[in-house]
Amino acid sequence: MDSDWGQRSSQELMSRYVSKETGYKVPKEGWRICLAHEFKEKRKPFQAKDVSLSNIFKHVGLGVRYLKWWYKKTKIEKKAPFIDMFGAQPLNQIYGAPLGGIGGGTITRGWRGEFCRWQLNPGMYHYKTVNTNQFTVCLRRDGNTVYQQVLSVEHPPAFQSWNWGYCGEYAFYHALYPRAWTVYDLPGQNVTLTCRQISPIIPHDYQDSSLPVAVFVWDVENRNDFTLDVSIMFTMLNGSGLKDDESGGHWNEPFHLEKDGEAVMGVVLHHCTTVNPYTLYDEAHCTAKDPKGTGSGLWSDLITDGRLDSPTGQTGRKMTRIDDCSVPAQSRNTLEFSLSWDMPEFTFGSRERQHCRRYTRYFGSGGDASPSLSHYALTHYTQWERSIEEWQTPILQDGSLPSWYKSALFNELYFVADGGTVWTELPEDADVSGGLRSEDGGLPAQPDIIKEFGRFAYLEGQEYRMYNTYDVHFYASFALIMLWPKLALSLQYDIAGAVVQQDPTVRLHLMNGQCSAVKTKNVVPHDIGDPDDEPWQRSNAYLIHDTADWKDLNLKFVLQVYRDFHLTQDAQYLQDMWPICVAVMDSEKKFDLDGDGLIENSGYPDQTYDGWTVTGPSAYCGGLWLASLCVMCKMATLLEKQDSCLEYRDMLDRGSAAFDKLLWNGTYYNYDSSKRNFSNSVMSDQCAGHWFLKASGLGEGEYQVGQKIQRALKSVFDLNVMSFAGGQMGAVNGMRPEGVPDRSSVQSDEVWIGVVYGLAATMIHEGMRDEGLRTAEGCYRTVWEKLGMAFQTPEAYSEKNIYRSLAYMRPLSVWAMQLALNASHVDQSTSAQTKAAEQS
């Protein structure tokens, strides 16, 4: 059940709603907020000026190198840096569920109804509210207009003759991704409008889930004793508020499409940019009327008879569409709209080659698919909704799960589509492993799963512009492997192909200031590149770090290979990945400096918190190493590689003994074994290796990491969770044994939401269900209810004032909690069956 403090937090979001109307079939579960709500706390992004003096001294060299690189990138090359420490995105507490499927671009509609975040060019975001993009309602009785209102609480300078400023106290927004509802109780009219938006995000669907479309369904409830005629007008700009909207050459045209006995009308908006042109399409009963100046002509036209006169042929940049219906007394009627956008082929920032989006397999790449896409959406959205409800209902109806968790589980999925995501066809000339074939330790040039299901990439974050950042994907991957497993495996094949390649070109690395090879063979890359460059060809990690420094990436690859096999039972995948797992584990062995079976860091940065340099074995990388040895033993057994199994078993036995001896202090695993001032800090993520074993059906008997996991988790809960911020903000990354946050590094006193969800999953696996839910609840309440960060969950926040990197990949790890809950249900069922059998 929801905690008392959590219930108060949820109620605060709706405290200003004065109506009693609940809308038409709006679900109970989800994120709900009154349109008049104002968030009290206004946080600022972490920037270079927020680094403490002590940490500035530690990283002065990195700072100088970054500043030089930033200046060259922004002032000379005139490009946006993939991480901008001087221009972080400010917090706008306005975002709602994004529109569109996976990989075709997204348009975000805010919870107050504004169209305000755009990602049509792949991976490149801009945050511009286009005020002219609005819905307007007109009510008529006996031929006379009795009410006409723009359904927006704003008072923008555009179209001043329109009736803006809807009273937000009479409306609320409700999100349960991939659907969202806005309920308007029209003041004094006895009419309630419920706008439902639907995007085709459907688990295990690899066709419709790729479509760049959304549907708006308006349910109109008339509680009067007389009939009303109701019109809904949808105005939309040809563009997204950027300067190129004014560049000229853009045009609109009306369109009529009849197919399979269904006829629809719409307006095509041709956005004719030099790079990556696209079309928008709005479908229903429509007009291509272009509002001018203050918009008074269009407003008067609508108010006269609830309809618009429509010119023929091409028109300017703005489009208006209208649909109407008659609603009898004490009755309901429905209006339907669809919105689609078609950018079938695109180039990334380097302009080196064209990429073809996944949906073109079904709708062609000619750039004329918008009408067909919208027609398809309007004739299939009811089927989409049935599929969505079949998927969500068992979880929503589980009374043992708290309401906040159900909201977090589905609403955090927004990032699968809105993570700058691209889903493309594999080019005919592509070779994922650079010419190295399977018999030589590589892969087929075009693995079957990528050919059939396409290439998939998503950003580390909307502000950290790196595709498929692998150490973060380690956490986020649970959403993909559980809901779109073919995409998860496709991504793994792409990473595996990069592992076996090398680039001996020498380059300066920003982190350590040293020159070394761009890419070392048999090492997992940090990412596959920046959308402003050429992903799948160049990686940003090669600039930040020497890839040989990232020991945890290799281990995370191995752990994901077996986890994915465990959940999919894809034998060919396991067979293909085995030699690459062996190669990356061989790369790790050299870090076993003492020959005790446990790798050491030896001054290299542990991929935990930037600036927290580790010497000797650490709880995090040490645990991942031992877990990797466990799964290598398991895979060797399955593949009948007996010699390999014995080799990894020997290292596992020796490493496990060394791990406990060097790091266990009686209540938890020390951060590292260096004996320095902060080496005994309590790290929230110290059991990450064990977590992945449990998620893979292991973690017990001969396949486990340590014997003291529950005791360590209890210490983390007592210190990192309950001793931090009153136990209401999740788990802080690092905590001192005396109950004070560790501030020895830039990130040690942060809360990483995605890490917390993984920690909660680990607790649930270990039978600490209540502790796990309490831990995760603090993050959800903080992000979604206190800080106003809905649909832009950041990488991190501090106890006060600061957040870092909005709209981040890692929080998708909330699906690891669902996997743990599923496993606990299976365990309980098995236990009950065993007990019943014994009694009989």
mmCIF file of all heavy atoms in Angstrom, residues 572-585:
data_model
loop_
_atom_site.group_PDB
_atom_site.id
_atom_site.type_symbol
_atom_site.label_atom_id
_atom_site.label_comp_id
_atom_site.label_asym_id
_atom_site.label_seq_id
_atom_site.Cartn_x
_atom_site.Cartn_y
_atom_site.Cartn_z
ATOM 1 N N GLN A 572 20.748 -19.845 -30.316
ATOM 2 C CA GLN A 572 21.689 -19.324 -31.308
ATOM 3 C C GLN A 572 22.396 -18.083 -30.777
ATOM 4 O O GLN A 572 23.592 -17.884 -31.004
ATOM 5 C CB GLN A 572 20.951 -18.987 -32.604
ATOM 6 C CG GLN A 572 21.869 -18.542 -33.737
ATOM 7 C CD GLN A 572 22.865 -19.613 -34.129
ATOM 8 O OE1 GLN A 572 22.494 -20.760 -34.410
ATOM 9 N NE2 GLN A 572 24.156 -19.265 -34.135
ATOM 10 N N TYR A 573 21.673 -17.259 -30.075
ATOM 11 C CA TYR A 573 22.259 -16.062 -29.455
ATOM 12 C C TYR A 573 23.369 -16.463 -28.494
ATOM 13 O O TYR A 573 24.470 -15.892 -28.520
ATOM 14 C CB TYR A 573 21.155 -15.297 -28.736
ATOM 15 C CG TYR A 573 21.610 -14.177 -27.837
ATOM 16 C CD1 TYR A 573 22.110 -12.986 -28.360
ATOM 17 C CD2 TYR A 573 21.523 -14.298 -26.453
ATOM 18 C CE1 TYR A 573 22.511 -11.950 -27.523
ATOM 19 C CE2 TYR A 573 21.912 -13.275 -25.613
ATOM 20 C CZ TYR A 573 22.409 -12.097 -26.154
ATOM 21 O OH TYR A 573 22.801 -11.085 -25.321
ATOM 22 N N LEU A 574 23.116 -17.440 -27.660
ATOM 23 C CA LEU A 574 24.132 -17.881 -26.704
ATOM 24 C C LEU A 574 25.354 -18.426 -27.431
ATOM 25 O O LEU A 574 26.505 -18.129 -27.060
ATOM 26 C CB LEU A 574 23.540 -18.948 -25.776
ATOM 27 C CG LEU A 574 24.446 -19.419 -24.645
ATOM 28 C CD1 LEU A 574 24.736 -18.297 -23.660
ATOM 29 C CD2 LEU A 574 23.828 -20.608 -23.909
ATOM 30 N N GLN A 575 25.122 -19.190 -28.472
ATOM 31 C CA GLN A 575 26.226 -19.763 -29.239
ATOM 32 C C GLN A 575 27.068 -18.670 -29.894
ATOM 33 O O GLN A 575 28.303 -18.708 -29.872
ATOM 34 C CB GLN A 575 25.664 -20.696 -30.320
ATOM 35 C CG GLN A 575 26.707 -21.515 -31.067
ATOM 36 C CD GLN A 575 27.242 -22.660 -30.228
ATOM 37 O OE1 GLN A 575 26.492 -23.329 -29.520
ATOM 38 N NE2 GLN A 575 28.545 -22.905 -30.305
ATOM 39 N N ASP A 576 26.401 -17.655 -30.455
ATOM 40 C CA ASP A 576 27.122 -16.567 -31.125
ATOM 41 C C ASP A 576 27.915 -15.717 -30.140
ATOM 42 O O ASP A 576 29.011 -15.225 -30.467
ATOM 43 C CB ASP A 576 26.133 -15.669 -31.876
ATOM 44 C CG ASP A 576 25.546 -16.337 -33.113
ATOM 45 O OD1 ASP A 576 26.122 -17.344 -33.575
ATOM 46 O OD2 ASP A 576 24.502 -15.855 -33.604
ATOM 47 N N MET A 577 27.385 -15.518 -28.945
ATOM 48 C CA MET A 577 28.002 -14.612 -27.986
ATOM 49 C C MET A 577 29.112 -15.255 -27.166
ATOM 50 O O MET A 577 29.947 -14.551 -26.593
ATOM 51 C CB MET A 577 26.938 -14.042 -27.036
ATOM 52 C CG MET A 577 25.936 -13.136 -27.711
ATOM 53 S SD MET A 577 26.716 -11.654 -28.406
ATOM 54 C CE MET A 577 25.568 -11.245 -29.707
ATOM 55 N N TRP A 578 29.132 -16.564 -27.092
ATOM 56 C CA TRP A 578 30.111 -17.228 -26.233
ATOM 57 C C TRP A 578 31.554 -16.831 -26.550
ATOM 58 O O TRP A 578 32.295 -16.435 -25.641
ATOM 59 C CB TRP A 578 29.940 -18.750 -26.302
ATOM 60 C CG TRP A 578 31.071 -19.508 -25.658
ATOM 61 C CD1 TRP A 578 32.078 -20.184 -26.275
ATOM 62 C CD2 TRP A 578 31.330 -19.620 -24.256
ATOM 63 N NE1 TRP A 578 32.944 -20.728 -25.360
ATOM 64 C CE2 TRP A 578 32.503 -20.393 -24.103
ATOM 65 C CE3 TRP A 578 30.687 -19.152 -23.121
ATOM 66 C CZ2 TRP A 578 33.047 -20.717 -22.869
ATOM 67 C CZ3 TRP A 578 31.221 -19.469 -21.875
ATOM 68 C CH2 TRP A 578 32.388 -20.231 -21.756
ATOM 69 N N PRO A 579 32.027 -16.925 -27.806
ATOM 70 C CA PRO A 579 33.440 -16.581 -28.044
ATOM 71 C C PRO A 579 33.754 -15.123 -27.721
ATOM 72 O O PRO A 579 34.881 -14.808 -27.314
ATOM 73 C CB PRO A 579 33.636 -16.875 -29.545
ATOM 74 C CG PRO A 579 32.281 -16.915 -30.120
ATOM 75 C CD PRO A 579 31.364 -17.391 -29.043
ATOM 76 N N ILE A 580 32.786 -14.235 -27.868
ATOM 77 C CA ILE A 580 33.029 -12.827 -27.547
ATOM 78 C C ILE A 580 33.082 -12.635 -26.039
ATOM 79 O O ILE A 580 33.901 -11.854 -25.521
ATOM 80 C CB ILE A 580 31.957 -11.947 -28.215
ATOM 81 C CG1 ILE A 580 32.071 -12.112 -29.733
ATOM 82 C CG2 ILE A 580 32.110 -10.480 -27.814
ATOM 83 C CD1 ILE A 580 30.994 -11.440 -30.527
ATOM 84 N N CYS A 581 32.240 -13.367 -25.305
ATOM 85 C CA CYS A 581 32.329 -13.339 -23.842
ATOM 86 C C CYS A 581 33.695 -13.839 -23.369
ATOM 87 O O CYS A 581 34.294 -13.265 -22.449
ATOM 88 C CB CYS A 581 31.216 -14.193 -23.230
ATOM 89 S SG CYS A 581 29.564 -13.484 -23.357
ATOM 90 N N VAL A 582 34.183 -14.907 -23.982
ATOM 91 C CA VAL A 582 35.499 -15.432 -23.617
ATOM 92 C C VAL A 582 36.574 -14.381 -23.865
ATOM 93 O O VAL A 582 37.468 -14.159 -23.040
ATOM 94 C CB VAL A 582 35.807 -16.719 -24.408
ATOM 95 C CG1 VAL A 582 37.264 -17.149 -24.203
ATOM 96 C CG2 VAL A 582 34.864 -17.838 -23.984
ATOM 97 N N ALA A 583 36.476 -13.685 -25.008
ATOM 98 C CA ALA A 583 37.485 -12.686 -25.360
ATOM 99 C C ALA A 583 37.490 -11.532 -24.364
ATOM 100 O O ALA A 583 38.560 -11.071 -23.943
ATOM 101 C CB ALA A 583 37.235 -12.173 -26.781
ATOM 102 N N VAL A 584 36.314 -11.033 -23.975
ATOM 103 C CA VAL A 584 36.301 -9.892 -23.059
ATOM 104 C C VAL A 584 36.715 -10.323 -21.653
ATOM 105 O O VAL A 584 37.343 -9.545 -20.919
ATOM 106 C CB VAL A 584 34.925 -9.185 -23.038
ATOM 107 C CG1 VAL A 584 34.580 -8.645 -24.405
ATOM 108 C CG2 VAL A 584 33.823 -10.075 -22.521
ATOM 109 N N MET A 585 36.408 -11.557 -21.266
ATOM 110 C CA MET A 585 36.868 -12.036 -19.960
ATOM 111 C C MET A 585 38.386 -12.202 -19.950
ATOM 112 O O MET A 585 39.041 -11.938 -18.933
ATOM 113 C CB MET A 585 36.177 -13.350 -19.593
ATOM 114 C CG MET A 585 34.695 -13.200 -19.260
ATOM 115 S SD MET A 585 34.365 -12.176 -17.794
ATOM 116 C CE MET A 585 34.810 -13.322 -16.485
#
